Amino acid sequence: MRPKASMGDGAPMTSRVRHITLDSHDPYRQGQFWAQALGGRVSDEDFPGDPEALVLSEGAVLLFVTVPETKTLKNRVHLDLQPEDRTRDEEVARLLGLGARLVDDRRRPDGRGFAVLADPEGNEFCVEPSAAERAA
């Protein structure tokens, strides 16, 4: 076991995730989609055409940055969403209405499983059953 690093006063050195950064062709458009999906907002400092857009939400802070390349492979990291005030299927329908598309439907008849969606630029994410659905 490795010893914990410290700051000299005995307090352990730690880091925190400031935000999750995602490559994008249109950061502001991506920011708008994810702000609606997460019930958050795009930072007041970001505007259409800016090279980045910061999405502030209760569960996570997402930063979209402009890159020239297009997405070609499966994500190495993805977000798993769990609805708080609706069912998994209601959340899937809502997100599809916002512009997501269904990539893989792994929902099972017993209410378990998840749906794999893609945002407007093709980044995959999953929608899992709500806590209430898991408890039932």
Side-chain angles (χ1 to χ4, degrees):
M1 181 180 224
R2 295 173 53 192
K4 289 185 179 180
S6 70
M7 296 179 54
D9 63 356
M13 290 175 50
T14 60
S15 293
R16 66 179 176 88
V17 175
R18 183 169 174 221
H19 40 67
I20 301 164
T21 303
L22 295 105
D23 294 348
S24 178
H25 279 280
D26 187 341
Y28 193 80
R29 181 173 158 239
Q30 283 289 92
Q32 288 180 311
F33 170 84
W34 281 101
Q36 291 177 345
L38 300 175
R41 65 180 181 83
V42 175
S43 170
D44 295 338
E45 298 176 11
D46 296 317
F47 300 94
D50 283 353
E52 61 184 41
L54 187 68
V55 175
L56 307 166
S57 72
E58 184 72 27
V61 177
L62 305 178
L63 177 63
F64 293 91
V65 296
T66 303
V67 296
E69 310 85 30
T70 58
K71 180 183 174 305
T72 57
L73 301 172
K74 182 181 182 302
N75 297 10
R76 300 269 324 248
V77 174
H78 69 269
L79 304 178
D80 290 334
L81 304 184
Q82 183 180 42
E84 294 184 338
D85 59 351
R86 59 183 57 96
T87 68
R88 175 203 56 209
D89 294 344
E90 290 169 336
E91 183 66 349
V92 167
R94 184 182 79 86
L95 294 166
L96 292 172
L98 292 176
R101 81 182 153 75
L102 184 64
V103 174
D104 189 11
D105 196 339
R106 296 189 181 190
R107 295 176 282 185
R108 298 191 302 225
D110 66 1
R112 298 180 59 98
F114 57 94
V116 181
L117 303 181
D119 70 16
E121 290 195 5
N123 300 301
E124 293 94 4
F125 62 98
C126 296
V127 181
E128 299 180 350
S130 68
E133 290 173 297
R134 287 179 183 271

